[in-house]
Amino acid sequence: MTVKGSIKAVADIWTAYYSGLRHLFHRSYTLRFPEQRLVVEKGYRGRHLLHLDRCTGCGICAWICPEKCITIVPRGERWYPQYFYGRCCFCHFCTDYCPEYALEETVEFDLAEYTRDRLVWSPERLARPPAGKNDKYVFSVETPRGASNIPRVGAKPEK
Amino acid sequence: MTSVVSSEPSESGSQTLTISVGPQHSGSGHMRLIIEMDGDIIIRASPDPGYVHRGTEKIYELRNIIKNIPVIERPAIIDASNLNHAYIRAVEELQGIEAPPRAQYLRCLLNEMNRITSHLYWLSIFGVFLGHTTMFMWPLGDRELIVDLQEKLTGARITHSYIVPGGVRRDLPQGMKEEAIKRTQYLEKRLEEYDKIFFENPIFTARAKGVGKLSRDEAVKLGAVGPALRGSGVDYDVRKDEPYAAYPELDFNVCTRQEGDSYARSMARIDEIRESCKLIRQIVQKIPSGPFRRKAPIVVPRGESYSRVESARGECSVYLIGDGGDKPYRLRFITGSYRNMAIIAPVLIGGHMADMPTAWWSIDYWPVEADR
């Protein structure tokens, strides 16, 4: 190896060291979920929020849904959408096509459940406003299991 | 990773070994490569695709044009908006409507962001299969910056469903311009670091230069597209050769490399990331005001249309036949990876088995996109 080549090799090794050391002070890209949670901005297409007073039960949301995850269910004299989040792909075409602006996107994105039937969201459950940013972690919105032993601020137990 | 299929004497009398790479994804993607070797030299390679075929072309015929949008994006979720753009352009051509200028710019903005994220995702896989763990971590980390921008613009991180007939679904959000300029400038600085740590790394250059050669004539003859074609010195890019959306008004170069080896194909992609960064800055600065969506019917008029766009892995084309209903009568959907399947064998044959990951991943073949 020539002298020039040797110098370059040593310099290259130091470039790698420098680069590695510099990344010690680099901001981490990952979060320690569930203690730390991703804060998504308003406009994120998370779970739906249903305004019961505006909804007319016309069924356009169920018609446009690409995954057929919406069922229109009766509540007294009125009809409301019910979501099955096991199928929802969060395209929010239902929100776009709602003529009465009864549906809204929320920033709530962790909807994991232990059982399949818990993924069915009734109109009443959809009508609840999403949890605030400062809430402590619960496994899902109102699951009485696992990490949800930490009480959520302002949460009411489900009857 | 591999399993021995057979070991039998060849015509010349020497013993050859046929091995199967894949289909469990650990170097091949979700497909199988049947490789016959004489010693360490690959003498025959045949791709065996179809493991992730989902019959999407039939599914498109059963759903109306809006419901088709999330399905159109599924073959390549990291490059979703480019595939969606090809489809929407075909639908708009049949409907006889054109999106407003602001929507055309916003479409290009998302397409370029998708191109960057797709190339960075490829780079991380390419890095890890060459044993360079740093090049696995860095691009995936930096990809987050652009994914966050996409989330800000569309509300979703990967499958955006952003481009719809008649325009786009959301306007440019507040503060997007400054954020886009800042992040693309940062990414360009990071690319220089990538060069130092990876692309100028003597171990990488020794493994990539001269490996998996594909000559210019062969690339043209076999119908290669995208960076795999441009790495062989052909300056074919649908954005330049058949401009669509806002691309005629934007200033950018087609990134080509002459060598036609794995290194050239990789560098063509890295150059494209740089061009896309410039394009994003141009778009947010030049974007005209006005409406971003126009009313469009949910109907496919009787007739035929054909559209093509430059997706991250090459030309993506859609051939649409309408019969007047709300569903397509037939939707033929050809993606870049499908066309690049033809160059897999010529790139691998004649090389060493140890060079297989370099040559194979430099094509950026995405089995899900090819099988559809």
Side-chain angles (χ1 to χ4, degrees):
Chain A
M1 190 183 268
T2 58
V3 177
K4 202 178 164 188
S6 315
I7 293 169
K8 190 176 179 303
V10 172
D12 282 352
I13 289 166
W14 278 106
T15 310
Y17 276 133
Y18 171 71
S19 175
L21 286 170
R22 216 162 46 82
H23 276 76
L24 287 177
F25 306 100
H26 201 281
R27 184 178 65 87
S28 170
Y29 283 118
T30 47
L31 293 174
R32 287 171 177 274
F33 191 82
E35 285 81 22
Q36 296 173 327
R37 298 182 66 187
L38 187 69
V39 178
V40 289
E41 289 183 35
K42 196 172 171 355
Y44 180 78
R45 301 208 304 248
R47 74 117 165 138
H48 306 73
L49 176 65
L50 175 67
H51 297 284
L52 292 174
D53 51 335
R54 291 190 203 152
C55 179
T56 58
C58 65
I60 286 181
C61 48
W63 171 74
I64 200 69
C65 178
E67 307 299 332
K68 295 180 187 161
C69 75
I70 306 175
T71 325
I72 305 293
V73 293
R75 285 289 182 274
E77 288 184 351
R78 300 182 69 165
W79 294 73
Y80 296 111
Q82 171 181 290
Y83 280 70
F84 176 48
Y85 276 114
R87 295 187 75 154
C88 180
C89 71
F90 298 93
C91 65
H92 275 271
F93 279 128
C94 48
T95 314
D96 268 23
Y97 278 80
C98 181
E100 302 293 331
Y101 300 95
L103 286 163
E104 211 181 300
E105 303 114 343
T106 67
V107 294
E108 208 169 293
F109 58 86
D110 53 338
L111 304 171
E113 297 281 1
Y114 280 110
T115 56
R116 195 180 159 87
D117 56 329
R118 291 285 302 167
L119 287 168
V120 178
W121 281 56
S122 63
E124 295 79 26
R125 202 171 159 198
L126 284 166
R128 275 178 218 155
K133 276 179 190 171
N134 299 323
D135 283 5
K136 283 188 177 168
Y137 173 74
V138 284
F139 186 75
S140 180
V141 184
E142 57 215 357
T143 325
R145 285 187 297 265
S148 63
N149 292 332
I150 310 158
R152 207 172 97 237
V153 180
K156 287 176 188 167
E158 197 178 18
K159 282 169 188 169
Chain B
M1 176 179 164
T2 56
S3 61
V4 177
V5 174
S6 70
S7 174
E8 55 197 33
S10 71
E11 288 165 8
S12 60
S14 63
Q15 193 88 356
T16 62
L17 183 69
T18 307
I19 59 163
S20 175
V21 183
Q24 273 81 18
H25 179 10
S26 63
S28 66
H30 301 289
M31 74 172 300
R32 185 162 71 131
L33 279 167
I34 303 160
I35 291 175
E36 193 178 343
M37 296 189 304
D38 186 4
D40 192 25
I41 307 289
I42 297 170
I43 54 171
R44 194 173 64 84
S46 51
D48 179 17
Y51 287 91
V52 275
H53 173 66
R54 288 176 285 190
T56 47
E57 285 186 9
K58 189 66 193 169
I59 296 173
Y60 301 146
E61 293 167 18
L62 307 174
R63 301 152 72 98
N64 79 27
I65 51 169
I66 296 294
K67 291 186 187 186
N68 265 337
I69 293 173
V71 193
I72 285 277
E73 294 180 333
R74 284 314 186 268
I77 53 169
I78 52 170
D79 188 25
S81 87
N82 277 305
L83 305 190
N84 191 8
H85 198 171
Y87 165 66
I88 295 297
R89 269 169 46 77
V91 171
E92 283 181 345
E93 198 185 315
L94 265 190
Q95 290 180 339
I97 56 169
E98 204 176 331
R102 189 174 175 84
Q104 305 279 20
Y105 271 79
L106 287 171
R107 286 174 178 187
C108 288
L109 177 63
L110 188 62
N111 284 356
E112 290 312 314
M113 288 201 275
N114 263 221
R115 202 180 311 281
I116 295 177
T117 52
S118 177
H119 285 343
L120 287 177
Y121 193 95
W122 158 81
L123 179 55
S124 70
I125 298 175
F126 191 51
V128 79
F129 279 112
L130 295 182
H132 201 288
T133 319
T134 308
M135 234 344 93
F136 174 57
M137 301 290 181
W138 284 11
L140 274 188
D142 292 329
R143 182 173 166 268
E144 284 298 303
L145 298 172
I146 308 295
V147 171
D148 282 352
L149 273 185
Q150 291 175 359
E151 182 197 309
K152 207 176 159 76
L153 179 66
T154 68
R157 290 163 62 79
I158 39 175
T159 46
H160 318 287
S161 303
Y162 183 63
I163 304 171
V164 287
V168 292
R169 286 173 69 188
R170 288 183 187 186
D171 204 357
L172 200 68
Q174 288 277 319
M176 179 82 184
K177 188 179 166 184
E178 296 75 24
E179 200 68 16
I181 292 171
K182 207 169 83 183
R183 290 187 182 200
T184 48
Q185 280 171 347
Y186 173 77
L187 191 63
E188 281 182 340
K189 267 189 221 157
R190 288 286 286 170
L191 286 178
E192 286 168 22
E193 279 187 55
Y194 290 5
D195 280 347
K196 275 184 203 158
I197 207 95
F198 188 63
F199 291 104
E200 290 166 12
N201 190 326
I203 300 169
F204 171 69
T205 48
R207 287 192 67 182
K209 277 189 181 171
V211 169
K213 277 257 186 190
L214 186 72
S215 69
R216 185 193 158 97
D217 293 343
E218 210 170 9
V220 173
K221 195 176 81 187
L222 294 169
V225 287
L229 176 69
R230 292 191 283 273
S232 294
V234 185
D235 63 339
Y236 175 75
D237 190 320
V238 184
R239 292 175 293 170
K240 271 277 190 233
D241 294 320
E242 198 183 294
Y244 57 94
Y247 286 115
E249 295 153 40
L250 300 168
D251 177 35
F252 65 100
N253 299 321
V254 179
C255 309
T256 54
R257 293 267 167 163
Q258 301 302 325
E259 298 85 5
D261 54 5
S262 299
Y263 190 79
R265 286 193 285 274
S266 318
M267 288 314 286
R269 286 197 186 86
I270 298 302
D271 294 344
E272 254 180 40
I273 297 180
R274 291 202 174 90
E275 284 301 317
S276 291
C277 286
K278 281 180 206 157
L279 270 171
I280 288 175
R281 286 200 294 273
Q282 270 185 54
I283 290 166
V284 293
Q285 279 161 351
K286 271 188 177 176
I287 188 162
S289 55
F292 62 90
R293 192 171 180 178
R294 167 175 299 169
K295 265 203 165 180
I298 304 184
V299 67
V300 200
R302 193 175 288 275
E304 296 175 18
S305 68
Y306 181 80
S307 84
R308 49 184 185 167
V309 302
E310 184 72 26
S311 77
R313 292 181 192 79
E315 184 187 312
C316 167
S317 47
V318 169
Y319 174 58
L320 177 69
I321 305 176
D323 60 353
D326 62 346
K327 297 166 186 149
Y329 175 76
R330 177 81 172 92
L331 200 153
R332 180 88 178 102
F333 190 44
I334 306 168
T335 49
S337 296
Y338 179 73
R339 293 176 198 269
N340 279 343
M341 202 187 294
I343 64 166
I344 292 172
V347 159
L348 295 180
I349 289 171
H352 292 275
M353 187 57 194
D355 290 335
M356 196 278 287
T358 325
W360 162 250
W361 282 103
S362 69
I363 304 170
D364 193 13
Y365 178 81
W366 191 255
V368 195
E369 197 189 76
D371 293 352
R372 305 186 297 285

